[in-house]
Amino acid sequence: MSPSDNNANGAADKDKVSRDQSKKNTVGRNIPHDSAALHVSGESVYIDDMPYQHNEVLVGFLGSPYAHGRIKNLDFSAALKIDDVVALFTYKDLAKNVFGPITQDEILLVEEESQFIGQPIVVIAARTPAAIKAARAAIILDMEELEPILSVDAAIAHERFIDKTYSIARGDIEAAFAEAEHIIEGRLVIGGADHFYLESQAALVYPGELNQLVVHSSTQNPSEVQHEVAHLLGLQLNQVVVITKRMGGGFGGKECQATHVAVMAALVAQKIKRPARMIFDKDTDMRVTGKRHPFQNDYKVAFTADGEITALQARLYADGGAYNDLSTAVLGRALTHIDNAYFIANVDVVGKIARTNFPPNTAFRGFGGPQGIITIENIIEEVANYLGKDALDLRMRNCYGITDRNITHYGQIVANNTLPNLFSELYQSSNYKSRLAKVKRFNAESKTHLKGMSMTAVKFGISFTNNFLNQANALVNIYQDGTIQVSTGATEMGQGVNTNIRMLVAEEFAIDVNQVIVMATSTEKNNNTSATAASAATDLNGAAAVNACRELLELLKPVAARYFAAKEIGIGAFPERIVFEDGHIFDDRRPENRLSFAQLVGMAYRERVPLGARGHYATQGIGFDWSVGKGSPFLYYTNGTCVSEVTIDRFTGDLKVDRVDILMDIGRSINPMINRGQIIGAFIQGMGWLTTEDLRYSSAGALLSYSPTTYKIPNIYDTPPLFNVHTIENECTVNIRGTKAVGEPPLVLAVSTWTAVKNALSYVSGEHIATLATPASGEEILERLTYYAAQNKDGYQSWHGDAEKSPLLARASSRAVGSIRRGKQPKVVAGVAKR
């Protein structure tokens, strides 16, 4: 791998910022992640590394064996007699049993009917793992299996939906289709994905005085855990303290679903007054936690002969699983991202959430945005295939403009739009034209392999779509030796938010970053916080920390001004003349006379000046009204483009990603190398979702691919041999330090690998529009190849044998993957890719 970055060095020198900021050299540097050395040395402390107490118990559970079942009898008297079993609990031991982050519709412990396989029924407290296993086997559970809903189609047929129908519309959709030169319609089936964080769901709970609980939770949302523990156990919020030091990965899977483990452990700790630890093994975690939402999206699109999209009608069906969780918000983001980088004059998009008997699906990096974005990128590939044009020409033609064609279908102006520039720059730097010609020559000559190439874009809105979540608070404490502790609501899951905040705080006081430590996140220090999600953790919490620092600066500058005025007769005490630079403080009229930061802090302390401050930040100028489907829900957009080139083995469907070129607008980086790591990591994770990570279930709804042996995340050998990552010069004037969020947007650029596969298939699809579901696994690709090859039996038999006897052909044909491609009909049906 030979990645490069044109913005990795010298970013601070190029920043055009104010006089004071230009003298501070922290932001813009490549400072190591604050836990990097601890990770490689094994010193990083996760929940299961915390020392065991002598009276501590372990917590497990007995889950439902059925996706939908009714309890007829439950007897755990025998289990209570097992040595080392301490206690067993059911829903009757909870103060409440219904909860949820948006709508309270979820049942924690099954009362009568289970709604997914593994839904907890009995909570087991024991001294050893062996005792938990024995108790689980000894519990007598008599359940009647009921008919489950295990697909979006089944949910639609039974009219089983979560929440209401959501819609966004613009223009005159009926007139646009009536006047259309060309129309195609089809269906895109988008698979889910497991978060596959390295640290499974985990919680350790200590009981305290006055019925208080201290909960150590591997969560992205300590306040949510605090709320649900208090709610379900009948406590006040001030009786529950939740602490998160770090997570071994989260990716959205610990935004809401960390509450389940925390509440079960807290229930045990509350009832038996002993520390309680609950940590899922990987198999359990994968089986019972929610995934990225699968979507089934039906679409109809009108376009001109030169590829301008004039109308889009789409019906999005998200598989929410058994309960809402965050599905409402996930669907909303999909609806607001279905345009992606493209202006469409007439839009009619509607979304519904299917209620199925799977674990409730939840947040996942991108949060619905990828499922919306891949839909329009898929449509553009199909329109290009239909017209016989290169899809990049269509993308650039339909791209949002700078001064016109720059308003989204929900009414927000695409401000500071760098998308046209990103397309044109990457077109040149990636040698797109010459490489496309080589791809065409290769496919014309090779009998064994196919190549495909595609450039896609991302326009990702940054902010929580629920407006009240766009706030944060921070506590900054300065100590007498000039060192600083910072506490915020942000949680560290490896993405480097703590390092970013350290750098922002150090920059404000012009001190070395090593003088700043970001403390473990605690609801005791930072109350009513939002989840570390939506790519907004640094934006919100970093801004809150900076606000706290500036309050302290306003207190420290008069102290310094009085000192220098007393030392230099006649200059007067003017706080506005005080400069903080390189760990020192001086009056800009006498720069040779300096104090160290520690000296100034000591003076302030002796003058009884406060050395701690709480900062608060609330994002301004955003809002959205779902009753009309209009508003400006995002503070800004993070943009990017990406070219992927792939090679497919015609005989096996094996896929190799040969080269990736990424160009992004991420504003001005706080830490360029951390952002670079986020871009690369997000892209590879997205590539896994779209190419290798295949969730397979039994006919009864049991997850079959629940371990690394059957669920394939990308490994080092899956990374493209040539991987170029670049950023452009830009400043986001509405955000802290001109930076832009980079946690989620790069994941969506991996859509280019999937569309590259689709492009490769177009070379063999003949008079059919090439169709594809996600993930584009080897099996999926081979079935497509088999179907298209069968349309030309001579060519098919030459490398697959007898078409009539092929089981692959039978499977592929049954999935209706083909369609008429260039007939004279005004309406063409693009194939329905079904799983």
Side-chain angles (χ1 to χ4, degrees), residues 211-519:
N211 212 22
Q212 293 176 317
L213 297 172
V214 175
V215 182
H216 292 267
S217 175
S218 181
T219 179
Q220 297 170 237
N221 197 348
S223 288
E224 176 73 13
V225 171
Q226 178 194 29
H227 181 275
E228 300 301 2
V229 167
H231 171 70
L232 294 174
L233 299 188
L235 300 173
Q236 298 175 154
L237 287 171
N238 65 358
Q239 291 177 286
V240 181
V241 174
V242 178
I243 300 171
T244 300
K245 174 63 178 175
R246 62 168 58 85
M247 288 162 278
F251 310 118
K254 296 176 180 177
E255 183 173 346
C256 285
Q257 300 209 348
T259 58
H260 304 64
V261 169
V263 172
M264 286 189 278
L267 171 64
V268 171
Q270 181 193 46
K271 294 296 183 181
I272 68 173
K273 303 300 181 185
R274 293 166 63 174
R277 184 185 306 243
M278 188 174 199
I279 298 174
F280 282 170
D281 58 64
K282 179 55 70 177
D283 288 7
T284 300
D285 193 295
M286 292 188 71
R287 282 169 163 158
V288 306
T289 59
K291 316 298 181 193
R292 182 186 292 281
H293 286 71
F295 270 64
Q296 182 171 294
N297 297 342
D298 296 324
Y299 55 87
K300 179 180 176 182
V301 61
F303 53 96
T304 65
D306 58 4
E308 180 182 343
I309 297 174
T310 57
L312 170 65
Q313 186 175 69
R315 299 295 179 261
L316 278 56
Y317 295 95
D319 185 342
Y323 304 109
N324 191 359
D325 194 276
L326 290 166
S327 294
T328 299
V330 168
L331 178 65
R333 188 168 279 267
L335 291 170
T336 57
H337 282 69
I338 198 167
D339 60 320
N340 193 26
Y342 315 108
F343 176 84
I344 306 171
N346 302 283
V347 177
D348 171 28
V349 292
V350 175
K352 303 187 81 169
I353 304 165
R355 189 188 295 275
T356 59
N357 290 111
F358 292 111
N361 290 314
T362 190
F364 200 138
R365 199 175 194 172
F367 201 80
Q371 294 95 320
I373 289 169
I374 195 174
T375 303
I376 189 63
E377 297 291 355
N378 170 71
I379 287 170
I380 289 177
E381 289 291 327
E382 293 187 347
V383 170
N385 197 184
Y386 173 91
L387 294 172
K389 295 179 179 292
D390 179 25
L392 178 57
D393 292 338
L394 273 64
R395 290 185 168 98
M396 296 178 75
R397 177 172 183 77
N398 289 282
C399 183
Y400 275 110
I402 306 298
T403 58
D404 63 349
R405 293 171 55 88
N406 64 343
I407 300 177
T408 67
H409 58 299
Y410 47 88
Q412 179 161 352
I413 296 174
V414 183
N416 190 20
N417 181 16
T418 54
L419 287 164
N421 182 41
L422 290 166
F423 269 120
S424 60
E425 281 200 25
L426 189 59
Y427 176 83
Q428 296 294 334
S429 64
S430 67
N431 299 314
Y432 182 91
K433 185 176 180 179
S434 62
R435 288 169 57 197
L436 181 62
K438 290 179 181 178
V439 166
K440 291 179 178 179
R441 287 197 300 271
F442 180 91
N443 288 339
E445 297 170 0
S446 177
K447 301 297 183 183
T448 59
H449 291 79
L450 276 174
K451 276 188 174 292
M453 192 168 77
S454 181
M455 184 191 296
T456 63
V458 62
K459 174 184 66 65
F460 199 92
I462 304 300
S463 292
F464 286 99
T465 50
N466 285 330
N467 200 20
F468 68 87
L469 296 175
N470 293 294
Q471 62 174 308
N473 63 76
L475 175 64
V476 176
N477 287 329
I478 304 175
Y479 295 91
Q480 292 182 59
D481 62 354
T483 60
I484 297 174
Q485 286 184 351
V486 185
S487 299
T488 76
T491 56
E492 178 63 61
M493 63 189 94
Q495 83 280 33
V497 65
N498 284 354
T499 305
N500 286 341
I501 291 172
R502 286 177 70 209
M503 293 174 70
L504 289 169
V505 170
E507 178 90 352
E508 287 299 309
F509 296 107
I511 59 177
D512 189 277
V513 71
N514 292 314
Q515 290 177 249
V516 181
I517 292 177
V518 177
M519 306 304 290

Side-chain angles (χ1 to χ4, degrees), residues 434-666:
S434 62
R435 288 169 57 197
L436 181 62
K438 290 179 181 178
V439 166
K440 291 179 178 179
R441 287 197 300 271
F442 180 91
N443 288 339
E445 297 170 0
S446 177
K447 301 297 183 183
T448 59
H449 291 79
L450 276 174
K451 276 188 174 292
M453 192 168 77
S454 181
M455 184 191 296
T456 63
V458 62
K459 174 184 66 65
F460 199 92
I462 304 300
S463 292
F464 286 99
T465 50
N466 285 330
N467 200 20
F468 68 87
L469 296 175
N470 293 294
Q471 62 174 308
N473 63 76
L475 175 64
V476 176
N477 287 329
I478 304 175
Y479 295 91
Q480 292 182 59
D481 62 354
T483 60
I484 297 174
Q485 286 184 351
V486 185
S487 299
T488 76
T491 56
E492 178 63 61
M493 63 189 94
Q495 83 280 33
V497 65
N498 284 354
T499 305
N500 286 341
I501 291 172
R502 286 177 70 209
M503 293 174 70
L504 289 169
V505 170
E507 178 90 352
E508 287 299 309
F509 296 107
I511 59 177
D512 189 277
V513 71
N514 292 314
Q515 290 177 249
V516 181
I517 292 177
V518 177
M519 306 304 290
T521 310
S522 171
T523 58
E524 187 177 10
K525 292 182 180 178
N526 298 98
N527 58 323
N528 308 322
T529 59
S530 299
T532 299
S535 299
T538 295
D539 291 9
L540 296 174
N541 294 278
V546 166
N547 286 345
C549 292
R550 290 176 180 174
E551 286 187 26
L552 291 166
L553 285 168
E554 292 304 308
L555 296 171
L556 290 171
K557 285 181 178 180
V559 177
R562 290 192 293 271
Y563 168 79
F564 291 121
K567 196 171 184 65
E568 294 283 342
I569 303 299
I571 69 168
F574 294 97
E576 63 271 18
R577 306 307 298 261
I578 299 301
V579 175
F580 285 66
E581 178 183 313
D582 295 331
H584 292 86
I585 298 90
F586 56 88
D587 187 305
D588 64 2
R589 295 166 296 176
R590 299 287 190 273
E592 70 282 357
N593 189 8
R594 299 183 170 218
L595 284 170
S596 71
F597 183 66
Q599 287 174 319
L600 176 59
V601 169
M603 291 179 183
Y605 173 71
R606 287 188 290 275
E607 291 186 26
R608 298 182 294 179
V609 172
L611 293 173
R614 182 175 296 278
H616 184 266
Y617 173 79
T619 308
Q620 300 299 308
I622 58 174
F624 193 81
D625 184 353
W626 274 110
S627 68
V628 294
K630 299 295 179 185
S632 296
F634 308 116
L635 182 63
Y636 62 87
Y637 297 100
T638 295
N639 302 326
T641 50
C642 178
V643 179
S644 289
E645 184 177 339
V646 304
T647 301
I648 295 169
D649 187 315
R650 292 183 189 237
F651 292 95
T652 65
D654 184 55
L655 171 67
K656 298 293 183 185
V657 181
D658 303 314
R659 175 174 171 177
V660 169
D661 294 79
I662 291 175
L663 181 64
M664 291 201 73
D665 165 19
I666 56 172

